Amino acid sequence: RVGDPQAPVYPTNLARTCARCHSDATLMGAFNLPTRQHDDYMTSVHARALFEKGDISAPTCNDCHGSHGATPPGVAGVANVCGSCHGREATLFREVEAKRHLDLEPCIQCLLCHGNHAIKPPTDTMVGVGPESTCTGCHGEGEPGYRAAAQMADFLIRLRSRLEEASGLLDDAERAGVEVSPDRFAMRTAQDDLVESEVLVHSFDMERCAAAAAKGLATADEGVAAGHRAFAELRTRRTGLVLSLIVILTVIISLGLHIRRIER
């Protein structure tokens, strides 16, 4: 049965089943087709979710190609296939086309930046104009798209850096015994804003991306300030403790001297 983990079409077995033919150079040579699909897929974020995390809802071959009538999705269908799981990103693509009267089909949409079978986890370095950027594949220096990519990358880098600084301060303060739970909870909002900024990259709208990043940056700044306040409070506590110990020791020594005088 399909639901039996021993079945050749069970999610964790399906890629290997397809590879019986698609990794055979002799069979594929007749159609002039590549044979690395299975090997590439096994390095992907989808395969990692399926085989390492045990998420059987993660995509495998038939999720993109279908089952009995399996065909590669055409250029027009790629975003629709990816959008069946990544709905927000697909919606942003459609909005861009409608608002700016663009036809994004020629750029192969999702595949151009993420690839197909060997899809790696997305990183902030994919955005911008650095060595790992996918933006520079189409946008050259001096073009509006190049400048926008650089600015969006800067938003993401600054927000992530500030979040890490805030989280580090709050973690250290918590380990030192200062109550920072409300501030740590607020950092979740800033983390959500970072994710939102990363998703909004797919809108190619620098203003929307900047607005989400600015919101998160403001929260992260508050987190950094809260961390510094926590350490100021810690210093005050320690100073008070030291002064209290000095007073207590002084009283003890004075009592001891007074008792000795009485005994004499």
Side-chain angles (χ1 to χ4, degrees):
R1 295 177 61 85
V2 173
D4 189 327
Q6 299 298 318
V9 289
Y10 191 74
T12 54
N13 302 327
L14 186 63
R16 188 167 59 250
T17 298
C18 296
R20 292 176 187 172
C21 293
H22 287 281
S23 294
D24 188 318
T26 302
L27 285 175
M28 294 299 103
F31 303 97
N32 195 29
L33 291 175
T35 57
R36 286 198 50 81
Q37 294 93 322
H38 177 265
D39 292 341
D40 287 345
Y41 170 75
M42 293 304 293
T43 69
S44 71
V45 66
H46 292 152
R48 188 177 305 169
L50 179 60
F51 295 104
E52 295 181 14
K53 299 181 180 180
D55 181 3
I56 60 172
S57 66
T60 186
C61 308
N62 66 323
D63 290 286
C64 296
H65 296 281
S67 300
H68 302 103
T71 57
V75 171
V78 169
N80 293 329
V81 170
C82 299
S84 62
C85 292
H86 303 284
R88 180 77 191 286
E89 289 80 359
T91 299
L92 289 170
F93 262 113
R94 300 287 81 81
E95 289 178 357
V96 170
E97 289 181 313
K99 290 179 181 177
R100 302 196 177 186
H101 307 291
L102 297 173
D103 179 10
L104 294 176
E105 286 186 9
C107 76
I108 322 181
Q109 302 179 16
C110 314
L111 301 189
L112 192 63
C113 295
H114 297 283
N116 49 4
H117 298 104
I119 297 174
K120 299 298 186 293
T123 63
D124 291 348
T125 56
M126 292 174 65
V127 185
V129 295
E132 298 179 33
S133 166
T134 59
C135 306
T136 53
C138 295
H139 302 286
E141 191 170 356
E143 296 179 3
Y146 186 94
R147 291 192 295 272
Q151 288 178 299
M152 285 192 288
D154 183 60
F155 299 147
L156 297 178
I157 291 170
R158 284 194 291 134
L159 175 52
R160 184 176 292 279
S161 175
R162 199 63 166 163
L163 264 173
E164 290 174 354
E165 181 182 0
S167 296
L169 284 169
L170 293 174
D171 286 347
D172 291 343
E174 188 174 51
R175 283 193 290 269
V178 181
E179 174 56 44
V180 293
S181 297
D183 301 303
R184 287 179 61 83
F185 184 79
M187 287 302 97
R188 296 182 186 177
T189 303
Q191 184 64 43
D192 289 342
D193 290 328
L194 174 60
V195 173
E196 176 71 359
S197 301
E198 291 170 331
V199 171
L200 285 173
V201 167
H202 297 88
S203 71
F204 308 110
D205 189 327
M206 189 179 64
E207 288 73 21
R208 289 179 69 182
C209 184
K215 183 170 174 287
L217 195 57
T219 305
D221 286 341
E222 291 175 5
V224 170
H228 288 307
R229 287 196 301 271
F231 278 101
E233 178 184 341
L234 186 62
R235 285 192 295 271
T236 300
R237 288 182 185 180
R238 288 174 175 172
T239 301
L241 178 61
V242 169
L243 292 175
S244 298
L245 289 173
I246 292 173
V247 170
I248 291 169
L249 287 172
T250 301
V251 170
I252 290 173
I253 293 171
S254 299
L255 284 173
L257 293 174
H258 184 64
I259 290 170
R260 288 180 64 182
R261 281 198 302 270
I262 291 175
E263 288 175 345
R264 284 200 299 270

